[in-house]
Amino acid sequence: MAKATFDTIIHAPNRLQICALLDTTKELEFQIIKEQLDVSDSVVSKHLKVLEDANYVRLIKKTEFTRQRTWVSLTPKGRRSFKLHLEELKRIIGET
Amino acid sequence: MNNEKQTISKEEAAATLKSVDSTKRDAIQSFRIPLLLITLISLSCSLVVFSWGMTEHDNLWALGMYIGSASFGIFVAFYLYTFRLLGIKVSVLARTKDRIKSELLLLVIFAVILIFGRQFRVYEGFEYAPHIAALISGGFMAYLLYKYPAGEYLQEIKHNG
């Protein structure tokens, strides 16, 4: 069983929220993440870039009905890291 | 970098967990299926259970099963498609062990309701068994779709720190 670890990449507030959002679905469109976080495009892009560089999220650009859409999803590594990060937070507060 | 030793206070950890929980709850609420679609999916489910309970060699209730199954599939596909257009791809297949367990349990519950609805009528002579089974399965389906649209059970965070 993997050990719970504090992940500084995930812990940044906006990135944590992005991971929490993505954890509830298979994939989300960039615009939905932006609306849920209530921040600008550039802020979302910046955080997604950090998560993508760490191989925590996957970005796929697709043209659907003549409209360019960017789908974002958590990679297995990202999903695992997010889970372990939450476990570490629970360990800190003494829940586990 | 990501695994570097970092210490945060208990209060900060609790606040972070609460914010994750609230983000997930808000997201799940905004991903909720429209009530009309919940009703249609639940009614289709009820129709399948009821028709299965009433089916005999000399009646046409088997047709209700086919119509119910087809409409159930169509409404679920419609729900997945509209959400996709909105920018949300719902995860249909279970990813985590907890979700696999809960989905298997739900499958068993629905199977038991389906089987008992028929068995009680055919072997015990209880005429209203299919009606009750259909009501329970439809109501349970509506509850699950309304309460857990993303298929995820979120435990309430009770820590106040």
Side-chain angles (χ1 to χ4, degrees):
Chain A
M1 200 176 124
K3 193 173 168 282
T5 43
F6 190 91
D7 197 316
T8 48
I9 295 177
I10 290 177
H11 192 68
N14 281 327
R15 292 201 283 274
L16 195 73
Q17 288 203 344
I18 291 172
C19 290
L21 280 174
L22 292 173
D23 196 41
T24 59
T25 54
K26 190 175 156 208
E27 280 176 53
L28 279 179
E29 205 200 339
F30 183 93
Q31 284 301 319
I32 297 282
I33 296 174
K34 190 192 130 189
E35 284 165 19
Q36 293 280 338
L37 262 61
D38 198 20
V39 290
S40 65
D41 280 11
S42 59
V43 172
V44 179
S45 294
K46 192 185 84 182
H47 289 298
L48 285 178
K49 180 85 180 81
V50 175
L51 289 169
E52 193 183 19
D53 288 345
N55 196 22
Y56 285 175
V57 298
R58 189 182 300 120
L59 273 75
I60 300 169
K61 286 184 169 43
K62 278 184 194 166
T63 307
E64 290 173 6
F65 303 110
T66 69
R67 191 177 143 218
Q68 175 87 20
R69 299 179 105 177
T70 305
W71 290 96
V72 188
S73 62
L74 274 180
T75 60
K77 185 187 172 192
R79 214 172 277 283
R80 199 169 46 247
S81 302
F82 178 62
K83 194 179 162 217
L84 292 175
H85 183 70
L86 294 186
E87 277 173 16
E88 175 64 6
L89 292 177
K90 283 178 188 166
R91 193 196 60 76
I92 291 171
I93 63 170
E95 238 183 48
T96 53
Chain B
M1 177 198 165
N2 57 325
N3 291 336
E4 73 189 32
K5 206 105 178 124
Q6 171 115 10
T7 47
I8 57 166
S9 67
K10 227 175 167 178
E11 288 72 25
E12 200 190 336
T16 308
L17 277 173
K18 268 199 165 174
S19 89
V20 169
D21 186 64
S22 102
T23 303
K24 279 189 158 193
R25 273 176 207 284
D26 290 348
I28 286 170
Q29 268 175 14
S30 63
F31 302 160
R32 190 164 278 163
I33 311 170
L35 277 176
L36 177 68
L37 211 49
I38 289 180
T39 311
L40 291 172
I41 293 172
S42 306
L43 283 176
S44 310
C45 177
S46 291
L47 181 61
V48 173
V49 174
F50 183 73
S51 304
W52 170 247
M54 298 299 280
T55 300
E56 296 285 353
H57 290 297
D58 56 353
N59 68 24
L60 282 173
W61 276 111
L63 191 64
M65 247 164 46
Y66 300 135
I67 293 171
S69 308
S71 53
F72 183 83
I74 290 167
F75 293 136
V76 170
F78 180 72
Y79 148 62
L80 294 175
Y81 182 67
T82 46
F83 268 59
R84 192 194 159 102
L85 288 181
L86 291 172
I88 302 157
K89 283 188 191 171
V90 181
S91 53
V92 179
L93 297 173
R95 282 183 314 254
T96 59
K97 275 184 192 168
D98 285 345
R99 202 175 148 186
I100 292 171
K101 273 188 216 163
S102 61
E103 287 191 3
L104 281 175
L105 178 70
L106 289 176
L107 205 68
V108 170
I109 291 172
F110 277 107
V112 166
I113 296 170
L114 186 79
I115 292 165
F116 275 73
R118 182 174 175 78
Q119 297 297 311
F120 268 93
R121 189 185 70 84
V122 174
Y123 296 107
E124 307 292 328
F126 181 46
E127 285 299 315
Y128 293 107
H131 300 71
I132 295 168
L135 205 68
I136 294 171
S137 60
F140 190 42
M141 177 64 79
Y143 172 78
L144 291 173
L145 289 173
Y146 184 77
K147 202 83 178 156
Y148 310 110
E152 192 170 354
Y153 171 70
L154 287 182
Q155 215 165 8
E156 195 80 47
I157 302 232
K158 288 181 183 130
H159 186 82
N160 298 320

